[in-house]
Amino acid sequence: MGLGPVTWVVLPEVMPAHAVTAAGSIGLAVNWSTNFCISAIFLPVQKWLSGGKDASEGNVFFVLAVTCLAAIIGMKVAFKAQDRVAL
C-alpha cells in the first residue's frame, strides 16, 4: 500500500465539485507522463554514469534523488512566496 490513493481522497476537499474530474484527469496525465519520462531516461543515464560499461552500475538513483530534492525545495519556496502574497 502506498500514497497513491491520497490524491483521490484529498482532491475533492481542495477543488470545487465541478472541477474534481478535470483536475483528476490532469493529475493522472502528469503522473503517467512523468513515469514515462523517468522510465525512458533511466537506462541511458545509468549507462552514462557507469562510464559506458554494461556490467558496471551507474548510480542513477542519486540523480533522481537530487531532482526530487530540488522539487521539494522549489515547492517550499513557492508556498512561502504564496503565503506572503496571500496575506
Side-chain angles (χ1 to χ4, degrees):
M1 196 55 108
L3 294 176
V6 171
T7 304
W8 306 111
V9 174
V10 173
L11 196 60
E13 301 294 329
V14 297
M15 299 294 291
H18 67 279
V20 171
T21 54
S25 297
I26 291 169
L28 191 62
V30 169
N31 184 11
W32 276 101
S33 300
T34 306
N35 284 336
F36 174 77
C37 291
I38 289 173
S39 299
I41 68 166
F42 185 85
L43 289 177
V45 170
Q46 182 183 22
K47 189 171 184 174
W48 175 67
L49 288 174
S50 68
K53 301 173 189 170
D54 289 333
S56 180
E57 293 182 8
N59 293 323
V60 70
F61 291 108
F62 291 124
V63 174
L64 297 176
V66 169
T67 304
C68 288
L69 182 64
I72 290 169
I73 292 170
M75 284 189 278
K76 282 189 176 196
V77 169
F79 281 121
K80 283 184 182 179
Q82 181 185 11
D83 287 342
R84 285 193 304 254
V85 173
L87 296 175

